[in-house]
Amino acid sequence: MSAPVIRCVGLARWYGEVQGLSGLTVDVSPGVVGLLGPNGSGKTTLMRLLTGLARPTRGHAELFGTRVSPDQWAVFRRVGYAPGDDVHFESERGSDFLALMARVAGDGPMAARARARAALEKVGMEELATKKLSTMSKGMRQRIKVAQALLLEPELLLLDEPLNGMDPVSRRKTINLVRAHGAAGGTVLFSSHILHEVESVTDRMLLLHHGRLLAEGRLSEIVGLLERKPRRVQISSGSRREIAAALLQEDYVSGVSFGDDSQLLLETRDLNRLLDRLQAYGGAGQIESMEIADENLESVFDTLVGSAV
Amino acid sequence: MSFSPQVLAVQAYSFRRRMLSWKALPALMVALVPTFMALVFRFFAPHEQGGTPTPYRMYGEILAPMCLYFVLPFLSMLVMLPILGELYEKGAIAYLLTRPAPRWVPLLGLYSGGLLALLPLAVLCATLPALILSPISGGVELRFWLQRVVFLSLVLWIGAAPYGALCLFLGVWSRKAVLWALALLIGWGSIAGSITGPLRALSPHRYLFGLLRNWLDLSNTLGQFSVPDPDPPGTLLSLLVLAGYVLAFLVLAYQAIRTRDVL
């Protein structure tokens, strides 16, 4: 079996008394992986540790089997990194900045220009290439950052909150780029604190909270972690009072509440048994509609984070 | 594998960033201070009275040492300190440090670009006062003026090399780089290097002053900006010591760039 693209072994980073990342052990294989967590959860710290921009307090990280360190710069030929920080090469034009990045990577002047043009085309910015970065909108600079990450056609993309500040069209374009990179066999670590952003690019994810890995895997696997957590089902029924009274007798129903009109919200620790029971009511024509609220990724995250706090 | 094209690419960027933007203005203002003084001297000094130095002496014995004492440290700070410090503060250094190139490549490129940006400032600093003072210098031949202008430019630029490398190191190593730079460039540089005592031998300023004396043909006597050196260094020794400092500070900056976190 080949080595994972990213490997973290007990990776930890403290900023004085503050924990940035706590003993993260994880392997990432090719494909798109979402790195999800609220602000301050350790996403950017992880990105910086993976790129050698910060040193771990404990543990280590590997990219393509190479231990990350300032001296292992050759591995960056295979890595494209878009930092969360703004570009801040204000005096440069978009194309000049990209050409500079390509030249520092070893391209000659002509090759660097060609590479910059190709990267700008990928993010749909070829017509704005001569604009200075200082005069670009936040969304445009975000696209320049993504173009910079794509510049060397790397196998691994590390994108730190790349959709921040992008307009809907740019977001769609970037999401498609990320998906295409994963579909072509590449690896993308895509960080965001917004669930639907991650959901739009992948169903594989790492959930970080307070520097700890809260959950890892596919969305469906993560949902499986909720088996023992309260789940919510919302039904609409003209007989909601009778149904609520009957269900409150069951040990697997932990709560009921009444919503607007005919809505009834049920909370359970055993979703399957509740669904079986509701099926019986449905068969009798007593339930007009039903929605399992907890199938939404947002609620998965909320539940996991809530349990960790 | 040669990294010189990479270094040159960063050097061009560094030069553009320091020279072709409003950021060059503060350094330009500092470089023009001797010009302002020359103007004051030309138009307001009572030349007809005894005791007033001739324009040629004013340039060599007052303006030139003053450039070393005050202009050079501030020019070095204004141009070289932000080169890395600013990139670190804004996190933008991350783009350069995640390229497939050793970290000394951006370091050397940024340093040499900054040093290049200091060259026109040094020339300006030395030339404009001479242009103002030479027309009233009486019998002093133009070639002597030219000689002084060229050598003062050169000493200033050579001086910017160790001080610039020191600023580069401080920009990476310390988040209070300005304070450190002020202390070291003025304290260890200008002051320690011009007064008697054991620190004098270690200060780059002593060797820069050595070059100034040798090349501008200044006397090793007590003057307004000159404390006599009992054992004045020769040109070769001065150049070697200054080159050693450049190397030492660049090595320190490289160590700092390898170990400082980008946060």
Side-chain angles (χ1 to χ4, degrees):
Chain A
M1 189 178 158
S2 62
V5 177
I6 300 172
R7 166 165 281 172
C8 300
V9 183
L11 194 61
R13 173 65 205 224
W14 289 78
Y15 301 105
E17 299 287 307
V18 180
Q19 177 184 266
L21 199 66
S22 172
L24 178 71
T25 296
V26 71
D27 284 352
V28 175
S29 52
V32 182
V33 177
L35 183 62
L36 190 60
N39 289 331
S41 59
K43 303 186 298 293
T44 298
T45 296
L46 175 58
M47 292 281 189
R48 285 174 179 161
L49 290 168
L50 289 175
T51 47
L53 294 172
R55 288 165 302 154
T57 312
R58 248 183 320 111
H60 71 273
E62 293 172 13
L63 299 178
F64 302 102
T66 303
R67 199 167 172 147
V68 174
S69 95
D71 299 322
Q72 295 297 336
W73 47 268
V75 78
F76 289 113
R77 170 64 58 185
R78 302 169 75 184
V79 181
Y81 172 50
D85 296 304
D86 213 341
V87 182
H88 285 305
F89 284 74
E90 303 93 339
S91 56
E92 300 294 286
R93 287 189 279 259
S95 55
D96 292 342
F97 167 66
L98 293 175
L100 169 66
M101 292 296 115
R103 290 209 62 197
V104 182
D107 278 354
M110 298 301 284
R113 287 271 157 211
R115 214 187 266 282
R117 267 197 304 278
L120 284 165
E121 271 173 34
K122 280 183 191 163
V123 296
M125 281 195 69
E126 55 272 43
E127 285 171 15
L128 298 166
T130 53
K131 220 171 144 79
K132 277 198 171 184
L133 289 172
S134 57
T135 63
M136 286 186 181
S137 68
K138 164 95 175 163
M140 287 177 189
R141 290 200 299 274
Q142 287 292 94
R143 284 151 74 189
I144 290 286
K145 273 163 55 175
V146 174
Q148 176 271 143
L150 293 166
L151 203 59
L152 303 181
E153 298 171 21
E155 294 158 64
L156 168 63
L157 284 174
L158 300 170
L159 306 178
D160 195 354
E161 310 248 8
L163 301 185
N164 265 3
M166 278 192 188
D167 61 83
V169 176
S170 309
R171 291 169 82 90
R172 177 52 45 202
K173 210 177 247 295
T174 306
I175 286 167
N176 288 342
L177 275 172
V178 169
R179 283 179 175 163
H181 192 83
T187 307
V188 185
L189 190 61
F190 177 101
S191 93
S192 175
H193 63 280
I194 299 171
L195 293 163
H196 75 260
E197 284 185 0
V198 174
E199 204 176 12
S200 65
V201 293
T202 185
D203 71 336
R204 285 173 63 193
M205 60 191 66
L206 304 172
L207 287 172
L208 288 181
H209 188 64
H210 285 322
R212 289 193 298 127
L213 183 63
L214 207 60
E216 172 199 1
R218 297 197 175 272
L219 173 59
S220 53
E221 292 167 357
I222 291 169
V223 170
L225 293 171
L226 297 176
E227 286 305 310
R228 301 177 72 83
K229 309 284 180 199
R231 308 289 303 279
R232 286 174 295 167
V233 177
Q234 184 173 288
I235 63 169
S236 179
S237 170
S239 320
R240 61 177 181 168
R241 289 186 183 283
E242 292 81 2
I243 294 173
L247 289 177
L248 274 173
Q249 305 301 315
E250 306 292 347
D251 58 355
Y252 54 82
V253 175
S254 53
V256 297
S257 58
F258 295 98
D260 297 339
D261 302 328
S262 57
Q263 303 287 317
L264 176 65
L265 192 66
L266 303 161
E267 206 169 272
T268 179
R269 289 186 182 278
D270 190 337
L271 185 62
N272 289 336
R273 284 176 72 190
L274 176 64
L275 291 178
D276 287 346
R277 183 70 186 272
L278 291 177
Q279 202 167 356
Y281 286 115
Q286 288 180 279
I287 294 179
E288 293 143 26
S289 67
M290 182 178 80
E291 191 182 331
I292 305 170
D294 287 340
E295 289 301 349
N296 182 290
L297 179 58
E298 187 93 42
S299 62
V300 171
F301 183 74
D302 286 347
T303 305
L304 286 169
V305 170
S307 68
V309 174
Chain B
M1 185 175 179
S2 166
F3 290 101
S4 29
Q6 282 108 305
V7 173
L8 289 176
V10 183
Q11 181 190 76
Y13 159 71
S14 178
F15 179 78
R16 281 198 303 275
R17 184 156 155 260
R18 297 320 316 169
M19 281 305 286
L20 307 179
S21 75
W22 60 267
K23 288 175 181 171
L25 275 181
L28 185 65
M29 299 306 286
V30 169
L32 290 177
V33 168
T35 305
F36 175 74
M37 292 189 66
L39 281 171
V40 170
F41 179 85
R42 175 164 176 175
F43 293 109
F44 298 104
H47 302 292
E48 64 281 358
Q49 291 175 15
T52 304
T54 64
Y56 189 67
R57 276 191 59 219
M58 163 77 180
Y59 184 86
E61 290 172 23
I62 297 178
L63 286 184
M66 197 202 74
C67 286
L68 272 194
Y69 274 101
F70 302 113
V71 177
L72 177 61
F74 285 104
L75 267 190
S76 304
M77 275 178 64
L78 287 168
V79 175
M80 302 299 274
L81 209 52
I83 278 184
L84 263 173
E86 209 172 80
L87 290 175
Y88 264 95
E89 293 313 316
K90 293 178 174 177
I93 192 73
Y95 293 94
L96 290 171
L97 299 188
T98 52
R99 301 284 94 198
R103 290 191 175 185
W104 59 260
V105 166
L107 180 78
L108 211 54
L110 290 168
Y111 171 70
S112 54
L115 206 56
L116 270 185
L118 277 163
L119 180 59
L121 292 171
V123 171
L124 206 65
C125 184
T127 308
L128 288 183
L131 286 176
I132 291 163
L133 296 177
S134 58
I136 55 165
S137 63
V140 180
E141 286 180 41
L142 187 64
R143 66 188 174 95
F144 290 117
W145 275 104
L146 270 178
Q147 198 178 355
R148 284 202 159 177
V149 166
V150 169
F151 281 132
L152 178 59
S153 303
L154 209 55
V155 173
L156 285 176
W157 196 48
I158 288 171
Y163 285 142
L166 173 61
C167 287
L168 205 70
F169 161 62
L170 295 174
V172 195
W173 173 73
S174 172
R175 288 182 176 83
K176 293 177 178 168
V178 176
L179 296 178
W180 277 105
L182 275 173
L184 289 173
L185 268 63
I186 304 292
W188 175 61
S190 300
I191 298 174
S194 56
I195 55 173
T196 50
L199 259 183
R200 189 176 199 180
L202 295 174
S203 170
H205 188 84
R206 176 186 179 227
Y207 302 93
L208 286 170
F209 218 98
L211 289 179
L212 200 69
R213 274 201 202 92
N214 296 342
W215 288 350
L216 267 69
D217 198 23
L218 304 180
S219 57
N220 186 18
T221 53
L222 188 65
Q224 270 141 321
F225 288 99
S226 170
V227 177
D229 193 334
D231 182 22
T235 300
L236 184 62
L237 175 67
S238 296
L239 290 174
L240 283 175
V241 171
L242 293 168
Y245 275 127
V246 171
L247 192 66
F249 291 137
L250 285 181
V251 168
L252 285 172
Y254 175 60
Q255 285 305 322
I257 209 172
R258 284 182 71 252
T259 51
R260 176 170 168 185
D261 292 333
V262 180
L263 300 175

